[in-house]
């Protein structure tokens, strides 16, 4: 495969879990046909489920799938990446692109186990990709060209936002968008709990909290205004919102979010160092 291959090259998705299925669905939405995609999955019942739902070839052998692929997409847990690479490396013919969504595993770990010159693209997705509202960052290795990155962007387009970064920035991306959905869910839960304490039913409080966070995110994306500007539009002088935000500041919520992101970044670095070693 050349670095500017047009169309939809054959893709092997190694791993049929939630993220593997998300990527499979994204590929089909982006224009790949079921004949151009296959998925490996060791659990026979799950493999049958994916085959029935999407009409793609499924099987248990990563090696066999890699033989037929132009793009090998690793959607496996980080702790089995080395094993999978050792399986597929001997059958790569040269020119295949290896793409991985495994968190924390540095590009050097792939390049060290794959044939020399193999293009590698590392992806940091997040869980909202399952509903097409994700945020993914991609970084290319030493042999990944602009054409390879364009191809990966096309593959991920249906999952949501896709941005290019340098690999050194993936730890920060992990801290903001990779772990970020947990921060949002934490806030939703806190808002819902507050609603219950103020006398609402839990169901109503949760529905209001989810709709408010969802709507606020959509407004921020659509308007393009700085979050501070949007916040000030909600805040009447000496009103309820000003009183509420004052309490958030007094309880160190902003500082807590920054500290959480720093902790996530540091842990991402630690995990990356383990895999690099």
């Amino acid at each position: 495969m050349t670095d500017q291959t047009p169309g939809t090259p054959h893709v092997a998705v190694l791993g049929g879990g939630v993220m593997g299925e998300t990527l499979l669905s994204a590929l089909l939405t982006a224009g790949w046909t079921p004949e151009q995609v296959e998925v490996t999955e060791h659990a026979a019942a799950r493999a049958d489920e994916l085959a029935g739902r999407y009409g793609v070839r499924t099987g248990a052998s990563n090696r066999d799938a890699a033989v037929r692929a132009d793009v090998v997409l690793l959607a496996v847990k980080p702790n089995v990446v080395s094993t999978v690479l050792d399986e597929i490396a001997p059958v790569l013919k040269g020119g295949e692109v290896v793409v991985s969504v495994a968190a924390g595993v540095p590009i050097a770990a792939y390049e060290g186990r794959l044939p020399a010159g193999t293009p590698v693209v590392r992806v940091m997705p997040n869980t909202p990709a399952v509903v097409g509202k994700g945020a993914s960052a991609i970084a290319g290795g030493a042999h990944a060209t602009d054409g390879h990155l364009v191809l990966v962007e096309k593959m991920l387009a249906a999952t949501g936002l896709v941005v290019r970064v340098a690999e050194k920035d993936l730890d920060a991306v992990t801290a903001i968008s990779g772990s970020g959905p947990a921060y949002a869910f934490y806030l939703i839960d806190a808002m819902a709990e507050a609603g219950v304490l103020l006398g609402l039913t839990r169901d109503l409080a949760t529905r209001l909290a989810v709709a408010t966070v969802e709507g606020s995110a959509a407004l921020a994306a659509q308007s393009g205004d700085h979050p501070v500007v949007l916040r000030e539009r909600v805040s009447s002088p000496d009103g309820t919102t000003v009183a509420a935000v004052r309490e958030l500041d007094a309880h160190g919520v902003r500082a807590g979010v920054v500290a959480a992101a720093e902790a996530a970044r540091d842990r991402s670095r630690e995990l990356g160092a383990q895999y690099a070693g």
Side-chain angles (χ1 to χ4, degrees):
M1 189 180 111
T2 67
D3 65 352
Q4 294 292 336
T5 297
T8 51
H10 189 89
V11 179
V13 180
L14 309 187
V18 173
M19 189 54 68
E21 182 176 2
T22 298
L23 296 168
L24 165 60
S25 178
L27 287 166
L28 298 178
T29 300
W32 271 257
T33 67
E35 294 74 25
Q36 294 170 313
V37 185
E38 62 182 295
V39 181
T40 62
E41 172 56 50
H42 291 293
R46 174 62 172 168
D48 291 343
E49 178 186 352
L50 293 172
R53 183 176 299 162
Y54 298 101
V56 297
R57 180 205 297 252
T58 59
S61 173
N62 294 322
R63 184 186 179 98
D64 290 349
V67 167
R68 293 183 287 269
D70 299 305
V71 179
V72 179
L73 205 166
L74 275 69
V76 298
K77 298 294 185 184
N79 63 325
V80 300
V81 164
S82 295
T83 300
V84 173
L85 292 178
D86 289 344
E87 285 181 64
I88 67 173
V91 300
L92 296 182
K93 304 174 291 295
E96 297 93 341
V97 184
V98 174
V99 182
S100 179
V101 298
V105 184
I107 290 172
Y110 297 93
E111 293 178 337
R113 274 186 152 84
L114 294 169
T118 300
V120 176
V121 179
R122 184 178 161 195
V123 181
M124 182 64 237
N126 65 5
T127 54
V130 172
V131 293
K133 295 292 184 181
S136 298
I138 66 174
H143 308 289
T145 67
D146 183 71
H148 296 130
L149 295 177
V150 168
L151 174 61
V152 174
E153 288 170 338
K154 178 182 177 182
M155 293 168 60
L156 297 173
T159 67
L161 175 69
V162 183
V163 298
R164 297 188 193 185
V165 300
E167 188 182 20
K168 67 179 180 61
D169 292 326
L170 283 177
D171 293 317
V173 169
T174 299
I176 302 305
S177 60
S179 298
Y183 315 157
F185 299 143
Y186 187 98
L187 176 61
I188 289 170
D189 181 55
M191 291 171 65
E193 186 67 22
V196 172
L197 291 173
L198 295 174
L200 301 177
T201 66
R202 185 167 298 277
D203 176 68
L204 177 58
T206 301
R207 288 165 56 202
L208 289 171
V210 169
T212 299
V213 172
E214 180 182 29
S216 299
L219 180 59
Q222 182 176 322
S223 71
D225 291 330
H226 193 283
V228 170
V229 174
L230 296 173
R231 191 186 73 207
E232 289 176 347
R233 288 177 185 161
V234 186
S235 306
S236 301
D238 202 27
T240 59
T241 305
V242 169
V245 172
R246 184 166 59 240
E247 288 301 315
L248 291 174
D249 287 340
H251 285 80
V253 173
R254 179 184 295 269
V257 171
V258 173
E262 290 176 336
R265 176 207 59 195
D266 293 346
R267 182 56 180 153
S268 180
R269 287 176 176 173
E270 291 172 2
L271 292 172
Q274 290 177 18
Y275 291 117

